[in-house]
């Protein structure tokens, strides 16, 4: 989408450089780019090489785990090689986990097998996990539970784009070392908002999951958003000064912060400091990178 291509059709010029410039102007200091499969990794690493503020995850999304099947060990070794060759840029293993909402892309058994396999990468390289869980809480926690020793090696991670129940959140947090990632999808309904309200601030990370998961006007969290951006409704009407309706950008992380602050009725400045430090603790504590900007 940041190349201007939607559903295989070119709608406007590539604008990733403009999107990143807008993010830095909005106050972002670091961006972690998610790889969803082996093919993504080279593109992600090529992008991170262009700016010292860009970092990467390496892993295979549950809906892409069929890619392991033709040569499981070879595929795993290639992931491993990418991590080993880029120690200053790869901050986490993932996106990996379970997604039982989209089984048409990959079956449960394959998802479980290669989710568990990727935990070995986290343990070997002592990297945190960038985790995905949809409608699979029981199996997800069971896999984490029987790999607890590996998770001690990697230091935990984040269950991103959380949309589960409060009971599921408590289970995740009780496991130890795991944080919960909140974005627009986490703030759709009043039930979602109530879950977020009760999450402890020292276990929350902010995210956008762009180009997805923006806070739409129909979302429960939208009424708390004060930061507005010029927006065009149609992709073909793109301008360098405007966001495109329905395409989320990194700069919109400020809207996620505002929504949470409104839901919790706490100052956004205080929460920003807490959530920023949480992010440093999860992803940057092993690299020696601290808040120097």
């Amino acid at each position: 989408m940041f190349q201007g291509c939607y559903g295989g059709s070119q709608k406007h010029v590539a604008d990733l450089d403009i999107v990143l410039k807008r993010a830095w102007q909005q106050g972002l200091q670091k961006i972690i780019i998610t790889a969803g499969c082996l093919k993504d990794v080279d593109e992600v690493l090529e992008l991170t090489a262009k700016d010292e503020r860009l970092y990467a995850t390496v892993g295979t999304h549950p809906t892409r785990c069929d890619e392991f099947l033709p040569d499981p060990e070879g595929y795993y070794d290639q992931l491993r090689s990418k991590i080993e060759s880029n120690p200053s840029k790869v901050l986490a293993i993932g996106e990996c986990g379970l997604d039982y909402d989209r089984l048409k892309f990959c079956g449960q058994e394959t998802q479980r097998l290669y989710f568990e396999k990727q935990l070995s990468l986290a343990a070997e390289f002592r990297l945190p996990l960038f985790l995905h869980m949809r409608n699979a809480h029981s199996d997800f926690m069971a896999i984490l539970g029987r790999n607890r020793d590996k998770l001690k090696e990697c230091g935990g991670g984040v269950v991103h784009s959380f949309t589960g129940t409060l009971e599921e959140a408590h289970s995740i947090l009780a496991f130890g070392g795991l944080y919960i990632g909140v974005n627009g999808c986490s703030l759709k309904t009043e039930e979602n908002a109530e879950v977020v309200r009760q999450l402890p601030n020292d276990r929350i990370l902010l995210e956008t999951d762009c180009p997805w998961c923006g806070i739409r006007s129909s979302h429960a969290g939208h009424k708390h958003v004060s930061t507005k951006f010029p927006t065009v409704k149609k992709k073909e009407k793109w301008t360098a000064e405007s966001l495109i309706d329905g395409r989320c950008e990194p700069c919109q992380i400020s809207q996620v912060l505002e929504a949470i602050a409104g839901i919790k009725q706490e100052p956004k400045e205080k929460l920003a400091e807490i959530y920023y430090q949480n992010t440093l603790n999860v992803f940057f504590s092993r690299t020696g990178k601290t808040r120097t900007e």
Side-chain angles (χ1 to χ4, degrees), residues 12 231-239 243-245:
H12 59 79
T231 303
V232 294
K233 293 288 186 181
K234 293 187 176 181
K235 304 169 185 68
E236 295 84 356
K237 300 293 185 180
W238 174 91
T239 70
L243 276 64
I244 297 172
D245 187 44

Side-chain angles (χ1 to χ4, degrees), residues 141-256:
M141 295 306 300
I143 289 171
L144 293 181
R146 64 175 172 260
N147 288 275
R148 191 177 291 271
D149 289 345
K150 291 179 181 177
L151 296 186
K152 289 179 181 178
E153 291 295 320
C154 76
V158 59
V159 180
H160 100 107
S161 193
F162 185 76
T163 59
T165 66
L166 185 60
E167 290 73 22
E168 290 173 346
H170 285 161
S171 175
I172 290 166
L173 297 179
F175 185 83
L178 295 178
Y179 291 69
I180 289 179
V182 177
N183 58 32
C185 289
S186 311
L187 303 164
K188 281 185 177 181
T189 68
E190 293 297 341
E191 291 79 9
N192 293 150
E194 179 58 23
V195 171
V196 171
R197 187 184 70 80
Q198 297 190 57
L199 295 177
N201 287 328
D202 63 354
R203 305 296 287 281
I204 290 175
L205 299 186
L206 301 184
E207 58 171 314
T208 58
D209 201 32
C210 65
W212 320 108
C213 293
I215 301 179
R216 296 180 174 271
S217 58
S218 59
H219 289 183
H222 185 267
K223 59 181 173 286
H224 303 292
V225 172
S226 57
T227 298
K228 309 294 184 182
F229 298 95
T231 303
V232 294
K233 293 288 186 181
K234 293 187 176 181
K235 304 169 185 68
E236 295 84 356
K237 300 293 185 180
W238 174 91
T239 70
E241 295 76 26
S242 299
L243 276 64
I244 297 172
D245 187 44
R247 185 186 74 165
C248 186
E249 293 191 15
C251 65
Q252 290 174 274
I253 201 167
S254 58
Q255 296 178 327
V256 181

